Amino acid sequence: MTKSSQLLLSFCSLFFSITQAQVKNTDPLYKTIMSKDSLFFSAGYNTCNIGKMESMLSDTFEFYHDKGGFENKEKFIIDFKNGLCKSPETYQLKRVLVKKSTEIYPMYKDGKIYAAIQNGDHLFYEKAGDQAEKLVGEAKFTHLWILDNAEWKLKNSLSFNHYPKQTTDSETMFDNDQSMQSWLKENNIPTLGLGIIEGGKLQQVKVFGEVKKGVSAPLNACFNVASLTKPVTAMVALRLVSLGKWKLDEPLDAYWTDPDIINDPRHQKLTTRIILSHQSGFPNWRWMNTDKKLNFQFDPGTKYQYSGEGFEYLRKALEKKFEKTLDELATELIFKPFKMNNTNYIWDQNVDESRFVTGYNEKGVAYPIEKIKTANAADDLHTTVEDYGNFMVSVMKGKNLKPEVFREMIKKQVKVKENKYFGLGFEIYDLGNGEYVLSHGGADQGTRCIALVVPESGKGIIIFTNIDDGYKVYEKLVLHYLGKEGQKIVDIESK
């Protein structure tokens, strides 16, 4: 055998011995570490027995927390005394090990065990005063136990991947309509429309509050969803691309050129792809410019800048090409196929004003209802929670789109911020490991709305509110209904 072959054989032997290093739950080491875990948490952490906890820590103990940072033994004990165990009679936090989540790996030196690694998941429950105990969070952990003078001590503790977790008890705030109404009142939210997607289907539709003062909102209450209009317009264009009637990268000047930019050769660079990914170079709205005219603020296709004008530009090109209005195209391609019978770009005879939700400013003053007669590709769509929820289900499944067109839609066309991008008509949150979220928001006077779907898990949430600061309820709702995916979204937005 050659020297290189011997080295390879030695490496392979070492590798395979490592991959089989996890001990079985019947092994004495497994039982010993589990006993130590139980003693540390049950007799120490959960009952605030500081002396018992401290006796089980190595003198060089180190604690690493993905939210709270690093602590040595001294600081860990001080913070524990002055934090979780400051008033155990009024507040308690309990840690519970998730069954069958534990893995134990022995560490050897010269053929003798000197340490063990413990991996697992744990849940956290809190109890305040006389209230019922409730589940509040979940996390992963890694512990390094070492043999110190023949006694097992905890040397390192890593606690990570924390995310909120609500109890499934039917009396939780978000699953109890009366509790939800109280919470909305506390947050000064007159009306909330909520759609919950699970298993790739719209499973729940709830509407709380009033369409106007003194009139309760029905389940099919109609909301102005502001910029949630844009994803619908995007799907009209992508559906046409799938049918072979429109091209993503064809210059739009073949059909339309705005008079304000006709003398700027950069208009020749405008395409559907560039507009749907917000790389047109236009301002959000031309009226924001001093001269109220449309202009390029940078070369198209070079960077991201959110623009409603871009979508209006696309509308005019589509209407010129097909000799139909956008609302006619949307009815034919989206609303009828997806059975969105209560959705419209314009205010016409089909709008039931008695179901239309009034919008308010933060002081509770009502805004007048705008009765738009001409479709705006970027704004003022009228819809219900059920219609838009089913629309988002269709979106995440790529319904009525060719696979190659769907892939372009979810492709990261341009970066917005770290782990956040724009695809074609939708924001994309990169959650890691191939998991992503498709999202869009809407904000106008008297309306704050958001829609998010997670194609990998088949989950999603639709949130419609009718007040200028309605966004303040987004985070809790997203965290509750989307769990760890929701936490990742919140983390990305907070950076």
Side-chain angles (χ1 to χ4, degrees):
M1 183 181 293
T2 64
K3 186 175 182 180
S4 60
S5 297
Q6 290 176 327
L7 287 172
L8 180 61
L9 182 59
S10 297
F11 175 79
C12 289
S13 298
L14 177 61
F15 175 78
F16 286 117
S17 65
I18 290 173
T19 60
Q20 298 176 25
Q22 180 184 344
V23 298
K24 296 180 179 180
N25 58 10
T26 55
D27 191 278
L29 176 63
Y30 185 96
K31 293 179 180 179
T32 297
I33 297 301
M34 291 299 286
S35 174
K36 294 294 179 181
D37 177 279
S38 177
L39 191 62
F40 182 79
F41 284 99
S42 298
Y45 185 99
N46 292 346
T47 59
C48 286
N49 187 333
I50 307 296
K52 173 57 69 176
M53 284 186 62
E54 192 168 5
S55 70
M56 298 185 69
L57 300 178
S58 164
D59 291 339
T60 56
F61 172 75
E62 294 180 337
F63 179 61
Y64 298 85
H65 194 285
D66 63 350
K67 306 294 184 184
F70 166 79
E71 292 183 339
N72 60 17
K73 180 179 180 179
E74 181 181 7
K75 190 171 188 307
F76 177 80
I77 294 297
I78 290 173
D79 285 352
F80 202 76
K81 287 179 179 177
N82 298 329
L84 295 178
C85 293
K86 185 175 182 180
S87 303
E89 67 281 357
T90 59
Y91 176 83
Q92 296 175 349
L93 185 70
K94 182 175 76 175
R95 178 266 197 180
V96 175
L97 185 65
V98 176
K99 292 181 178 180
K100 299 182 180 179
S101 71
T102 302
E103 299 173 341
I104 307 294
Y105 297 87
M107 306 289 284
Y108 291 93
K109 183 178 180 181
D110 299 329
K112 294 183 179 179
I113 292 177
Y114 72 95
I117 294 173
Q118 177 192 9
N119 292 327
D121 300 331
H122 44 200
L123 304 172
F124 295 94
Y125 294 79
E126 69 175 21
K127 187 178 186 301
D130 295 329
Q131 295 181 8
E133 183 180 81
K134 60 181 180 179
L135 176 64
V136 294
E138 183 171 352
K140 294 183 178 298
F141 71 93
T142 296
H143 286 165
L144 175 62
W145 296 88
I146 62 169
L147 274 173
D148 186 355
N149 293 322
E151 186 177 357
W152 286 102
K153 298 276 188 176
L154 187 57
K155 171 70 170 60
N156 294 97
S157 176
L158 287 77
S159 190
F160 54 96
N161 196 38
H162 288 83
Y163 63 91
K165 194 174 181 69
Q166 294 283 346
T167 178
T168 56
D169 183 71
S170 61
E171 292 300 311
T172 60
M173 177 176 67
F174 295 114
D175 295 327
N176 178 270
D177 288 356
Q178 186 174 355
S179 297
M180 177 72 92
Q181 293 276 21
S182 299
W183 179 67
L184 293 172
K185 188 174 182 180
E186 290 172 9
N187 284 276
N188 191 33
I189 305 296
T191 312
L192 170 73
L194 184 64
I196 305 303
I197 298 168
E198 294 177 345
K201 293 182 180 180
L202 182 65
Q203 301 286 7
Q204 291 185 58
V205 172
K206 293 187 177 183
V207 178
F208 302 90
E210 303 175 327
V211 290
K212 60 182 179 181
K213 298 294 185 183
V215 180
S216 296
L219 277 180
N220 62 347
C222 197
F223 291 77
N224 180 329
V225 294
S227 289
L228 283 184
T229 307
K230 293 182 178 73
V232 175
T233 300
M235 289 299 290
V236 170
L238 295 175
R239 177 68 179 132
L240 289 167
V241 173
S242 288
L243 292 171
K245 297 179 179 181
W246 193 250
K247 296 179 181 179
L248 273 177
D249 298 306
E250 180 182 15
L252 295 178
D253 68 350
Y255 310 105
W256 167 256
T257 302
D258 191 285
D260 288 354
I261 59 170
I262 197 166
N263 294 320
D264 190 325
R266 289 180 290 184
H267 76 261
Q268 299 170 5
K269 297 181 179 179
L270 292 171
T271 65
T272 300
R273 182 192 301 275
I274 282 175
I275 283 173
L276 294 185
S277 59
H278 291 281
Q279 300 182 79
S280 65
F282 292 152
N284 191 12
W285 295 109
R286 69 182 76 196
W287 56 260
M288 294 177 172
N289 290 333
T290 304
D291 61 4
K292 313 298 182 186
K293 290 186 176 182
L294 186 64
N295 69 323
F296 287 105
Q297 298 182 346
F298 55 86
D299 289 344
T302 58
K303 63 179 181 179
Y304 164 82
Q305 179 169 281
Y306 190 81
S307 175
E309 287 287 354
F311 276 68
E312 274 287 85
Y313 203 100
L314 176 60
R315 172 180 70 83
K316 292 169 184 175
L318 288 167
E319 291 179 342
K320 286 285 186 180
K321 160 78 171 177
F322 295 102
E323 298 182 343
K324 295 179 181 179
T325 62
L326 176 60
D327 44 303
E328 288 173 335
L329 288 169
T331 298
E332 175 186 333
L333 299 166
I334 305 298
F335 300 156
K336 283 187 176 179
F338 294 170
K339 298 181 180 179
M340 297 171 68
N341 300 321
N342 290 294
T343 303
N344 207 335
Y345 279 91
I346 61 175
W347 192 283
D348 61 13
Q349 70 278 5
N350 296 317
V351 177
D352 182 355
E353 190 168 353
S354 69
R355 294 191 285 113
F356 202 86
V357 177
T358 299
Y360 299 89
N361 67 17
E362 294 177 29
K363 295 181 180 179
V365 178
Y367 289 109
I369 294 175
E370 294 188 54
K371 300 180 179 181
I372 306 298
K373 300 297 184 181
T374 301
N376 185 315
D379 201 10
D380 293 323
L381 186 79
H382 310 149
T383 191
T384 63
V385 174
E386 182 177 13
D387 273 13
Y388 210 88
N390 285 325
F391 169 72
M392 290 300 290
V393 168
S394 299
V395 164
M396 76 173 173
K397 293 181 177 180
K399 189 175 180 180
N400 289 355
L401 295 183
K402 285 187 175 180
E404 59 268 27
V405 176
F406 179 74
R407 286 194 294 270
E408 289 294 337
M409 185 188 83
I410 63 174
K411 181 180 177 181
K412 300 169 185 175
Q413 303 284 340
V414 63
K415 187 173 184 177
V416 177
K417 61 188 292 187
E418 193 65 28
N419 294 321
K420 185 178 178 181
Y421 304 82
F422 235 98
L424 298 180
F426 294 89
E427 292 176 310
I428 300 171
Y429 290 92
D430 184 352
L431 305 186
N433 298 319
E435 192 173 33
Y436 65 95
V437 172
L438 297 175
S439 172
H440 209 289
D444 266 343
Q445 287 187 336
T447 182
R448 292 294 185 275
C449 309
I450 193 169
L452 306 101
V453 289
V454 189
E456 183 73 18
S457 65
K459 294 195 293 187
I461 186 169
I462 314 298
I463 305 171
F464 294 168
T465 74
N466 66 329
I467 192 166
D468 286 350
D469 60 349
Y471 56 82
K472 63 189 177 185
V473 300
Y474 289 177
E475 184 172 322
K476 284 190 176 181
L477 291 169
V478 168
L479 288 173
H480 175 72
Y481 287 108
L482 297 188
K484 59 183 178 182
E485 293 102 331
Q487 182 63 61
K488 290 177 181 178
I489 295 167
V490 171
D491 290 344
I492 290 170
E493 282 297 336
S494 65
K495 292 179 181 177

